Amino acid sequence: MRQYFILFIFGILLAFSSCRTDFDTVASSGDLKFSRDTVYLDTVFTNISSSTYQLKVYNKSKNDISIPTIQLKKGLSSKYRLTVDGMTGNNGKIFKDVTLLAKDSLYIFIETTAAITDANAADFLYTDEIQFDSGANLQEVALVTLIQDAVFLYPKQNPDGTKEKIKIDDKEVDGFYLEDNELNFTNEKPYVIYGYAAVPENKTVIFEAGARVHFHANSGIYVDRDASLQINGSKSNTEKLENEVIFEGDRLESLYSDIPGQWNSVLFANGSKNHSITNLTLKNAVIGLDFKSPANLISIKNTQIYNCAQYGILAQNAAIIGENIAVNYTGLASLSCVYGGNYSFTHCTFNNNWPSSSQFAVNLSNSLPGAVPETNPLTQAAFNNCIIYGSNTNEFNLNKNTNTPFVYQLNNCLLKFSSTTTNPDYQFKTDAIHYNGITLNENPKYYNVNQNKLNIDNTSAAFAKGNQAYIIPLDILGITRTSPPDLGAYQSKDFPK
């Protein structure tokens, strides 16, 4: 019995000795340390929520402390929202008696949704401070957000609460038809599109030089039957591409700068017509330019398309003349011409460094599963002074139905196809009907392929390999080409060392 009593007493002593004193706190003395003294929340559009940013707060002392208040200086009227170690406090604005253990830290997560009218009229900055404690112990961390004004285009709300819909390929999607006063996109303000902005039949949408168009998730442009699209960008003089027309997602934070699939596509319906695209930069779509059997010839010049989840250009039974086009990082193919058509591409760089073993830079086909009929003639697919390259073993794919015309020719092109094959369609050195002047499996040595900088210098295998007969006098940047010309969209130049 005595030994049980001793064990009982020992247990009590052990329990008391192991009790935590973590919450026997002392008041904060104003000696908190922070992971940064200013949190920049990047640029956001008016009334669109930002990404979530974090601030780490450190207690370097040997004492557990209590911070009497953590709050936004503007209080409950602030456009910022905080979460402090998982707590939301008073509407994410004010927190009382926050405990921070010795030699420990806490996380503060920060978001904002602000309008252009909330920002400083002189610089469009919206600012606030996170205040820790008050009086002599007051410490502050600044918050800064640039608010950008924009023109917002979106489907109307129906009386029953549903969104306005349009039909694309017999499927209803969130979308709306542009009014006559919405068909001209200028460079005065950026545009933000929700859903599909559709161009009505017999109307033309025009994008002026310097226009900036941002698409929300699952959004895009739809050009209906007998409608037209004209993109009238021009040469820019700086890396800001001030005269380029730019299509991209509506998240402006640097984290989103190269994430594929943020919005859907620019979709050209069967029977749409008279399309012209000049000096366009398109980024981060699912399919960049999606042509569904347009009625007549399409011109694409000086155009860059990057980071598309499926295709950069998908053309179904289309007719395209392409000059100075650069495409890179696409999940399936940078250029895919299916169900026949008529194509001519000169001084283009079709590269694909998407990290998979099934992607291509260029895919050609004269068939389409499920179509009636299933095959259609490929009357021409000409590639002149082009680069067709990428990270895969073979970047050029022919999907040919031998019962239907399939006409193609590569003249003075750098081509990646390193598999050994007896297939007669891929005899690049001996098949003079389809291949002339092919530079095979040599590195073009792009300036920085991971940043979509497909420029080359004089050490590139594409240097001075072009045929003068196919020369486009100016490259994609408006630089004069020399003779003999380089292959691809870019004239060679020296890079900074």
Side-chain angles (χ1 to χ4, degrees):
M1 187 72 178
R2 187 168 181 271
Q3 64 185 18
Y4 288 115
F5 179 77
I6 293 172
L7 285 173
F8 176 74
I9 296 299
F10 179 78
I12 292 175
L13 292 172
L14 181 64
F16 275 104
S17 65
S18 62
C19 281
R20 291 172 57 91
T21 60
D22 293 343
F23 300 106
D24 295 334
T25 61
V26 300
S28 171
S29 60
D31 292 324
L32 298 171
K33 304 298 180 184
F34 306 104
S35 57
R36 59 184 81 181
D37 57 13
T38 302
V39 179
Y40 296 95
L41 278 79
D42 282 335
T43 305
V44 296
F45 285 117
T46 183
N47 289 324
I48 293 181
S49 181
S50 71
S51 293
T52 302
Y53 294 78
Q54 81 173 31
L55 172 71
K56 201 168 183 180
V57 184
Y58 303 94
N59 174 12
K60 300 287 189 180
S61 76
K62 297 179 180 179
N63 298 315
D64 301 338
I65 64 172
S66 177
I67 307 170
T69 57
I70 298 176
Q71 66 180 26
L72 290 160
K73 186 175 183 178
K74 293 180 180 177
L76 295 176
S77 65
S78 178
K79 301 301 179 180
Y80 290 101
R81 302 179 297 279
L82 307 179
T83 303
V84 177
D85 261 8
M87 301 180 293
T88 56
N90 186 350
N91 292 318
K93 317 290 185 182
I94 302 171
F95 301 77
K96 296 289 188 180
D97 300 319
V98 178
T99 298
L100 181 52
L101 303 182
K103 304 295 183 181
D104 203 353
S105 61
L106 61 81
Y107 283 95
I108 298 179
F109 295 98
I110 309 155
E111 298 176 331
T112 187
T113 305
I116 192 69
T117 52
D118 298 315
N120 185 324
D123 54 17
F124 302 108
L125 292 177
Y126 181 70
T127 61
D128 202 345
E129 288 83 39
I130 305 176
Q131 295 185 322
F132 299 82
D133 210 334
S134 59
N137 293 331
L138 175 65
Q139 292 179 268
E140 294 181 318
V141 173
L143 304 176
V144 180
T145 305
L146 176 64
I147 311 296
Q148 189 165 1
D149 198 9
V151 177
F152 290 84
L153 300 171
Y154 47 87
K156 295 183 178 70
Q157 191 92 354
N158 295 319
D160 63 359
T162 61
K163 290 182 181 178
E164 184 180 3
K165 305 280 186 182
I166 64 170
K167 272 193 174 182
I168 297 178
D169 295 334
D170 296 324
K171 180 182 177 182
E172 283 196 336
V173 300
D174 290 345
F176 58 97
Y177 278 93
L178 294 165
E179 303 289 342
D180 284 354
N181 63 353
E182 296 172 328
L183 290 169
N184 193 51
F185 287 70
T186 71
N187 61 6
E188 294 177 7
K189 290 183 182 180
Y191 296 79
V192 181
I193 292 177
Y194 287 74
Y196 270 94
V199 186
E201 292 185 19
N202 299 309
K203 299 290 184 178
T204 299
V205 63
I206 297 173
F207 297 87
E208 296 180 5
R212 302 291 190 260
V213 185
H214 300 263
F215 298 89
H216 196 63
N218 301 315
S219 299
I221 292 173
Y222 177 65
V223 187
D224 210 340
R225 176 180 290 275
D226 291 321
S228 304
L229 175 142
Q230 305 285 321
I231 293 178
N232 300 327
S234 61
K235 176 181 175 293
S236 298
N237 296 313
T238 73
E239 291 187 356
K240 293 182 178 180
L241 302 177
E242 65 278 2
N243 296 319
E244 194 94 350
V245 174
I246 298 180
F247 289 174
E248 60 184 324
D250 66 347
R251 300 308 300 259
L252 304 184
E253 302 93 326
S254 57
L255 173 66
Y256 291 88
S257 62
D258 58 0
I259 295 178
Q262 294 179 46
W263 57 284
N264 283 359
S265 68
V266 182
L267 178 57
F268 301 82
N270 184 355
S272 61
K273 62 185 182 182
N274 300 330
H275 308 308
S276 176
I277 298 170
T278 303
N279 287 92
L280 167 69
T281 293
L282 186 154
K283 302 184 290 186
N284 306 334
V286 176
I287 300 174
L289 302 175
D290 190 353
F291 299 100
K292 306 282 190 184
S293 302
N296 51 23
L297 188 65
I298 303 154
S299 171
I300 306 176
K301 297 180 179 179
N302 306 326
T303 290
Q304 305 172 69
I305 301 175
Y306 304 125
N307 304 323
C308 293
Q310 295 182 11
Y311 301 97
I313 300 174
L314 176 60
Q316 174 183 305
N317 188 28
I320 298 175
I321 292 181
E323 299 176 356
N324 291 332
I325 300 172
V327 189
N328 189 30
Y329 274 113
T330 58
L332 297 175
S334 293
L335 170 69
S336 186
C337 301
V338 302
Y339 204 45
N342 190 304
Y343 308 96
S344 175
F345 295 101
T346 304
H347 278 294
C348 296
T349 300
F350 296 114
N351 196 79
N352 199 351
N353 266 58
W354 189 275
S356 81
S357 59
S358 58
Q359 48 79 11
F360 298 104
V362 171
N363 174 65
L364 302 178
S365 172
N366 60 353
S367 62
L368 185 66
V372 181
E374 195 165 280
T375 63
N376 201 55
L378 179 66
T379 56
Q380 176 184 246
F383 296 84
N384 306 310
N385 292 352
C386 292
I387 297 174
I388 300 172
Y389 202 79
S391 57
N392 203 0
T393 303
N394 303 324
E395 290 290 351
F396 182 64
N397 185 60
L398 302 175
N399 183 9
K400 179 168 66 172
N401 185 300
T402 56
N403 297 320
T404 304
F406 193 98
V407 180
Y408 64 99
Q409 188 172 57
L410 278 65
N411 299 304
N412 298 85
C413 293
L414 189 156
L415 179 66
K416 174 82 171 288
F417 196 103
S418 57
S419 293
T420 301
T421 179
T422 58
N423 188 325
D425 294 333
Y426 301 105
Q427 301 307 308
F428 306 107
K429 297 298 185 181
T430 59
D431 178 4
I433 294 176
H434 297 108
Y435 306 104
N436 295 286
I438 301 299
T439 301
L440 193 62
N441 300 322
E442 294 189 31
N443 195 338
K445 295 184 181 179
Y446 301 121
Y447 178 47
N448 191 326
V449 70
N450 295 320
Q451 295 180 9
N452 295 313
K453 294 181 178 179
L454 304 182
N455 317 69
I456 61 171
D457 63 16
N458 59 10
T459 67
S460 169
F463 175 72
K465 294 286 181 64
N467 188 325
Q468 187 71 20
Y470 306 115
I471 192 171
I472 306 297
L474 302 179
D475 81 347
I476 191 171
L477 301 177
I479 299 172
T480 301
R481 285 194 166 93
T482 56
S483 181
D486 303 328
L487 305 181
Y490 294 90
Q491 170 67 23
S492 58
K493 64 176 184 179
D494 292 332
F495 300 131
K497 302 302 182 185

